[in-house]
C-alpha cells in the first residue's frame, strides 16, 4: 500500500508536517509513505489549467494517481483551511466529478496552537471533499490541540497519549483503505 502525505502548511517548523512525520513512524512496514509538496503550486487560474499542467501540479496529480490513500494534516486558519491547501485541492479537482480525487480514500489530521486542535478546519475540509466526491475515513476524528507543547527540539512527537491516539487513527485508516481498495 502507498499513502500520500500532504501538509497544509508550508512553514519549515510546521506542527502539521511534524505530525505527518510522526504518522509515518506508526505505519506497518508494508505501507509506503510518500510526501507531496504544495510549495510551488501556482494560484489556480483556469487560463493556465491546460492539458499540460504546471510541473508542481503535474507531480501532485501523478502522486495521487499512484497512491491508495491520502493522509492530510491541516492547520486551521481563521476557522478554515489554509489557502495553500485549498488552492492545491482546486488544481487536482478538475475535471469536476472525474478528477483523481474521486473515490480516493482520505484521512484528515489537524494540529493547531489553540485548545480545539483545528476542528473547524476539518469540517470545512470535509465539505470541500464532498464536492470532489472524495471519501473521508469514517472514524473518530484526530485533532492535535496545543501543538506547540507536543514536539521536542528534534521535531519528534513527545506525548505518548497523542502517539497512542495517532496510532489508533492510522490503524482504522489503513484498515478502511484496504477495504476500499479491495486489498483485504
Ligand atoms: C493566518 C492564521 C490564522 C490562524 N487561525 C487559527 C484558527 O482559526 N484556529 C487555531 O486554532 N489556530 C489558528 N492559527 C494558529 C495556528 O494554529 C498555528 O499558526 C499553527 O502553528 C499552524 O500550523 P503549522 O504549525 O502546521 O504551520 C492561525 C495562524 C495563522 C497564521
Amino acid at each position: 500500500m502507498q499513502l500520500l502525505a500532504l501538509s497544509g502548511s508550508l512553514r519549515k517548523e510546521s506542527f502539521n508536517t511534524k505530525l505527518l512525520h510522526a504518522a509515518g513512524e506508526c505505519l506497518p512496514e508494508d505501507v509506503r509513505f510518500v510526501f507531496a509538496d504544495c510549495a510551488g503550486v501556482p494560484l489556480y487560474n483556469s487560463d493556465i489549467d491546460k492539458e499540460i499542467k504546471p510541473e508542481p501540479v503535474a507531480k501532485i496529480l501523478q502522486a495521487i494517481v499512484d497512491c491508495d490513500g491520502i493522509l492530510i494534516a491541516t492547520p486551521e486558519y481563521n476557522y478554515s483551511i489554509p489557502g495553500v491547501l485549498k488552492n492545491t485541492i482546486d488544481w487536482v479537482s478538475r475535471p469536476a466529478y472525474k478528477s483523481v480525487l474521486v473515490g480516493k480514500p482520505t484521512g484528515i489530521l489537524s494540529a493547531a496552537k489553540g485548545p480545539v486542535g483545528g476542528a473547524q478546519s476539518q469540517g470545512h475540509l470535509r465539505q470541500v471533499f464532498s464536492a470532489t466526491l472524495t471519501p473521508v475515513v469514517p472514524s473518530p476524528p484526530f485533532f492535535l490541540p496545543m501543538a506547540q507543547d507536543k514536539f521536542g527540539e528534534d521535531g519528534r512527537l513527545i506525548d505518548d497519549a497523542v502517539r497512542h491516539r495517532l496510532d489508533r487513527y492510522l490503524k482504522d485508516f489503513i484498515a478502511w483503505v484496504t477495504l476500499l481498495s479491495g486489498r483485504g
Side-chain angles (χ1 to χ4, degrees), residues 92-145:
V92 298
S93 70
R94 313 309 289 171
Y97 311 126
K98 290 180 188 147
S99 79
V100 292
L101 288 176
V102 174
K104 190 63 75 171
T106 297
I108 301 174
L109 313 172
S110 60
K113 279 185 170 173
V116 189
Q120 298 192 83
S121 68
Q122 289 205 21
H124 281 199
L125 187 51
R126 280 174 174 268
Q127 187 174 346
V128 171
F129 281 141
S130 65
T132 60
L133 310 181
T134 306
V136 177
V137 60
S139 66
F142 181 96
F143 307 118
L144 181 57

Side-chain angles (χ1 to χ4, degrees), residues 7-18 77 113:
S7 174
S9 175
L10 302 181
R11 207 166 68 83
K12 219 161 54 181
E13 294 296 323
S14 160
F15 300 125
N16 284 279
T17 306
K18 287 175 184 172
Y77 279 4
K113 279 185 170 173

Side-chain angles (χ1 to χ4, degrees), residues 34-126:
V34 179
F35 276 78
D37 195 356
C38 292
V41 173
L43 288 176
Y44 185 81
N45 173 350
S46 50
D47 292 344
I48 57 168
D49 188 4
K50 306 278 185 207
E51 202 175 327
I52 298 182
K53 311 289 179 201
E55 202 191 323
V57 176
K59 272 192 181 162
I60 297 181
L61 279 168
Q62 190 58 50
I64 295 174
V65 169
D66 291 343
C67 76
D68 298 292
I70 306 172
L71 185 64
I72 292 179
T74 184
E76 179 168 286
Y77 279 4
N78 299 314
Y79 301 169
S80 187
I81 57 172
V84 161
L85 179 59
K86 179 63 162 55
N87 182 57
T88 299
I89 293 172
D90 289 342
W91 266 109
V92 298
S93 70
R94 313 309 289 171
Y97 311 126
K98 290 180 188 147
S99 79
V100 292
L101 288 176
V102 174
K104 190 63 75 171
T106 297
I108 301 174
L109 313 172
S110 60
K113 279 185 170 173
V116 189
Q120 298 192 83
S121 68
Q122 289 205 21
H124 281 199
L125 187 51
R126 280 174 174 268

